[in-house]
Amino acid sequence: MSIPTNLKYTKDHEWISIEGDVATVGITHFAQKELGDIVYVEVETLDQTLDKDEVFGTVEAVKTVSDLFLPLTGEIIAFNDSLESAPETVNSDPYGAGWMIKIKIADASEIDSLLSDEAYKELIGA
């Protein structure tokens, strides 16, 4: 299972790529595999500022709907619009074209609470 070393992770199986004060967020390969075929991604929180661990959207698979949790406090500044017509991209390319949102980080100190790739591997038993 692919777990990129240049990303941070959450216990809720989101990945985070940080560039300056902007973070790109998606779900991990492990998460998309557990969910199965993803048929819909909903994010109605664009342009809103949310606290860490608040629900920013949902992902719907054939058999279940799962909440998506914000890994860092910040304003949601972008949604990956291509997921509206091709939500299966989350399955085929979770760390690339399957990204979900971008946030403007409000509290950089929260980055320290995220998991490294090694800690995430331990979490999922990889």
Side-chain angles (χ1 to χ4, degrees):
M1 177 180 321
S2 169
I3 300 175
T5 58
N6 62 323
L7 302 175
K8 296 289 189 178
Y9 299 89
T10 70
K11 293 178 182 172
D12 295 311
H13 309 288
E14 281 93 17
W15 61 262
I16 304 92
S17 171
I18 300 167
E19 294 179 34
D21 65 349
V22 174
T24 302
V25 180
I27 64 170
T28 65
H29 176 79
F30 176 85
Q32 68 79 25
K33 187 176 177 191
E34 291 291 306
L35 287 167
D37 293 337
I38 293 172
V39 296
Y40 190 67
V41 177
E42 180 177 54
V43 174
E44 294 183 347
T45 51
L46 189 61
D47 300 323
Q48 293 181 27
T49 299
L50 301 175
D51 290 331
K52 179 182 178 195
D53 297 328
E54 279 194 81
V55 174
F56 72 83
T58 57
V59 62
E60 183 176 342
V62 174
K63 296 179 182 177
T64 188
V65 175
S66 184
D67 286 336
L68 298 166
F69 298 96
L70 201 62
L72 300 167
T73 299
E75 179 186 358
I76 299 173
I77 58 173
F79 169 65
N80 185 352
D81 292 333
S82 69
L83 298 180
E84 290 180 352
S85 60
E88 66 277 4
T89 306
V90 175
N91 292 115
S92 62
D93 190 11
Y95 299 113
W99 68 273
M100 295 181 174
I101 61 168
K102 291 185 185 279
I103 61 174
K104 183 167 177 55
I105 301 168
D107 183 355
S109 70
E110 292 177 346
I111 295 169
D112 294 336
S113 69
L114 299 173
L115 302 174
S116 67
D117 60 303
E118 289 299 321
Y120 185 70
K121 285 178 188 175
E122 285 182 35
L123 177 73
I124 63 171

